Amino acid sequence: MQQRTIGNRQVSAIGLGGMPMSIEGRPDEERSVAAVHAALDAGVTLIDTADAYHRDANEVGHNETLIARALKSYGPGADGVLVATKGGHLRPGDGSWTQDGRPEYLKEAVKASAKRLGVEAIGLYQFHRPDPKVPYADSVGAIRDLLDEGVIELAGISNASVAQIDEANAILGGRLASVQNQFSPRFRSSEGELGHCAKLGVAFLPWSPLGGIKSAPELGSRHAAFNEVAAELGVSVYQVTLAWELALAPVVVPIPGASRPESIRDSAGAAELALTEDQVARLSAA
């Protein structure tokens, strides 16, 4: 598996997003565990989760617990996996999403996440989404404190603008390791943030890199160029999409969500798929 860098860690160029394993429409846990094991078998060493990846109000951290279980049952081969989790985004249990960026809340959320993951220090912790009720500097300041105290090993932010990337990096003393924003052929409004991360050398982790759970099946029909290149290469349109994202900048590490072993196996293959400059240009222009 091709490797990329997040902070001081080398990880697989393709990660695994755990969200589909724990929200509405989720499969039984055994299939999700099998998907995590398939990812590890394919060389994936980055798994993305969050305390908000759950369905019901009384199961906060469902996905963190599930990921921890899957890694433990895999055995020693999972030791080098970087688990990235997030805090500051909440699900009350009615299908809605809310924010809580208060420093005191984030510091308690980190402790709860570490306990569910079964770790002394969280490998990568990301502030999930800005809270309009709390100054951004205060929220990121809490992440800085956690980094300074060794509660987390790497710090990141999610759903951030270019200005927020710079503000966070300054608050963290130049130690911003990652930015996790939505990016896909369907959603390109984070191109500016991707390019900015490339200039800074900060990892850019596209979430919903295939367009999201509901829209991914329509990727080929919505974006003809991706379908054409997939036919040229004899691979899935999903592999082409992830390979295109990897080709945009060396800091890009897509984290496609999956809950089926066959899905993550296909996605992992994108790390070894070589696109020509012409193909990348055609896809970028689509």
Side-chain angles (χ1 to χ4, degrees):
M1 171 74 76
Q2 179 192 150
Q3 300 292 293
R4 297 217 159 170
T5 303
I6 300 179
N8 61 359
R9 294 285 297 271
Q10 291 290 301
V11 299
S12 55
I14 298 292
L16 169 65
M19 184 177 175
M21 303 175 189
S22 294
I23 62 168
E24 292 78 358
R26 67 193 186 198
D28 64 85
E29 291 197 2
E30 292 308 315
R31 194 182 87 186
S32 293
V33 169
V36 174
H37 290 181
L40 300 179
D41 289 343
V44 170
T45 57
L46 170 66
I47 298 180
D48 176 78
T49 182
D51 60 3
Y53 292 167
H54 63 89
R55 184 185 62 200
D56 305 322
N58 64 346
E59 56 173 22
V60 174
H62 179 278
N63 194 245
E64 292 175 323
T65 302
L66 176 59
I67 295 300
R69 176 191 161 201
L71 292 174
K72 184 176 181 180
S73 64
Y74 190 80
D79 293 345
V81 173
L82 175 62
V83 177
T85 193
K86 299 178 287 295
H89 213 4
L90 298 83
R91 302 201 78 194
D94 59 1
S96 67
W97 295 78
T98 60
Q99 292 85 41
D100 192 341
R102 294 174 298 131
E104 59 270 29
Y105 170 77
L106 291 171
K107 291 182 178 182
E108 289 303 313
V110 166
K111 294 176 184 177
S113 288
K115 185 176 181 179
R116 285 188 290 265
L117 291 170
V119 296
E120 292 289 328
I122 291 175
L124 171 59
Y125 194 76
Q126 300 170 106
F127 178 38
H128 204 157
R129 185 177 289 272
D131 182 348
K133 303 183 297 297
V134 179
Y136 196 65
D138 291 355
S139 300
V140 178
I143 305 299
R144 176 202 57 215
D145 293 346
L146 293 164
L147 188 61
D148 289 342
E149 295 164 12
V151 179
I152 65 176
E153 296 173 353
L154 296 170
I157 54 176
S158 185
N159 301 296
S161 67
V162 168
Q164 288 168 332
I165 292 170
D166 285 339
E167 182 178 4
N169 200 31
I171 292 169
L172 291 166
R175 294 176 294 171
L176 180 65
S178 65
V179 173
Q180 185 172 323
N181 278 15
Q182 186 176 14
F183 183 80
S184 67
R186 182 168 176 257
F187 190 95
R188 299 197 188 186
S189 64
S190 285
E191 282 181 329
E193 287 77 16
L194 189 161
H196 196 58
C197 285
K199 292 178 183 176
L200 295 174
V202 171
F204 183 86
L205 282 53
W207 62 264
S208 288
L210 301 176
I213 296 172
K214 294 181 179 179
S215 298
E218 304 169 357
L219 201 160
S221 59
R222 284 176 177 266
H223 308 281
F226 287 80
N227 224 20
E228 291 165 5
V229 173
E232 291 169 11
L233 297 174
V235 298
S236 72
V237 69
Y238 308 116
Q239 272 197 24
V240 167
T241 300
L242 297 171
W244 166 69
E245 291 169 4
L246 289 172
L248 295 178
V251 299
V252 175
V253 186
I255 45 172
S259 63
R260 298 177 184 273
E262 55 269 30
S263 296
I264 190 58
R265 288 191 197 104
D266 183 70
S267 291
E272 310 307 324
L273 183 63
L275 301 177
T276 67
E277 289 184 11
D278 174 69
Q279 287 170 333
V280 172
R282 284 160 53 198
L283 297 173
S284 295

